[in-house]
Amino acid sequence: LEVLDARDPLACRAPEIEAMILRAAGDKKLVLVLNKIDLVPPSVVQAWLKYLRQSFPAVAFKASTQQQKSHLSAAGGARVNQAVRSGEVLTGSGSAGTDILLQLIKNYSRSHDKKKAVTVGIIGYPNVGKSS
């Protein structure tokens, strides 16, 4: 997972690292996570997702801004793409995009007949929201 800040995704990308991951041994996949989508207008999020998906799968993400009382797959996380498509402003303190991201990882695991755990690496510039 390469985490990008929605305010300036291109400045947060690391094309050399992306190329290194794709050249690495094994069947590694790269997914772009457009984080902090609540800080830009929905139309901007849509445009960036369209652009980023020309290169790799991309998921819109908004971290919870409250103290997390449960884990990331809390109910309601899948609403982000629908909210972005319909133009809703993502406000409130809940997270969004987690269900889609987890489903993408599960689908990768199933499609490659992985019977054991999948290891996920997270990369990104400082302060893009990797810990989210």
Side-chain angles (χ1 to χ4, degrees):
L1 303 177
E2 182 175 9
V3 181
L4 308 173
D5 190 320
R7 295 172 289 185
D8 193 0
L10 292 184
C12 302
R13 283 189 79 172
E16 293 170 1
I17 294 176
E18 292 172 7
M20 188 172 33
I21 290 169
L22 297 176
R23 284 192 311 263
D27 191 21
K28 297 189 184 346
K29 303 291 181 200
L30 187 62
V31 176
L32 303 176
V33 178
L34 191 62
N35 196 20
K36 301 184 181 186
I37 60 170
D38 54 323
L39 301 180
V40 296
S43 60
V44 173
V45 174
Q46 288 176 329
W48 276 120
L49 287 174
K50 183 178 179 182
Y51 176 81
L52 294 170
R53 286 177 177 157
Q54 293 173 6
S55 310
F56 298 105
V59 176
F61 190 84
K62 174 185 173 274
S64 175
T65 56
Q66 65 183 355
Q67 289 183 342
Q68 293 193 353
K69 296 176 183 168
S70 61
H71 56 79
L72 280 178
S73 61
R79 291 191 322 261
V80 66
N81 281 342
Q82 182 180 11
V84 167
R85 261 186 253 114
S86 68
E88 290 176 32
V89 177
L90 294 171
T91 58
S93 58
S95 66
T98 55
D99 291 343
I100 293 168
L101 192 54
L102 290 172
Q103 190 62 43
L104 205 157
I105 294 168
K106 287 178 188 176
N107 287 345
Y108 168 74
S109 176
R110 273 190 232 117
S111 69
H112 293 357
D113 292 327
K114 303 249 185 230
K115 303 256 190 245
K116 50 186 172 179
V118 175
T119 302
V120 177
I122 300 175
I123 62 170
Y125 275 82
N127 299 317
V128 294
K130 295 180 299 293
S131 299
S132 300

